[in-house]
Amino acid sequence: WLLAYQTFKYIHNRDSLLKLTNSQLDAASLITVPGRMQAHELTDGRTLIIDVSHNAQKIQTLCASVQAMYPHAQISTLISMVE
């Protein structure tokens, strides 16, 4: 969500688009794409997050998003693959 929102803000400012309402922004924040910050609650209470970050920028954004969404959680494993 953070990267998509930053991209939107850039295009919004560049093209002088109309401002979105708070309810539109709230609704947009609920849109999910499979494989992007896909969270699954496990039966033991842990959360499994699946994200197909495929470059350094996306991996940095993933880390920032996880820290923002789960500020007090201890991350036990983060696997990223970049060629």
Side-chain angles (χ1 to χ4, degrees), residues 9-59:
K9 283 187 0 182
Y10 171 80
I11 293 169
H12 175 268
N13 292 334
R14 182 194 68 191
D15 297 348
S16 301
L17 300 175
L18 295 175
K19 184 177 179 181
L20 294 178
T21 66
N22 286 339
S23 74
Q24 289 171 318
L25 287 171
D26 290 343
S29 73
L30 300 175
I31 296 171
T32 60
V33 176
R36 289 284 184 208
M37 285 298 295
Q38 191 173 350
H40 298 277
E41 299 299 322
L42 304 178
T43 57
D44 63 3
R46 295 180 297 159
T47 302
L48 171 66
I49 299 173
I50 299 171
D51 191 278
V52 293
S53 303
H54 58 277
N55 60 39
Q57 180 188 22
K58 299 283 193 259
I59 294 168

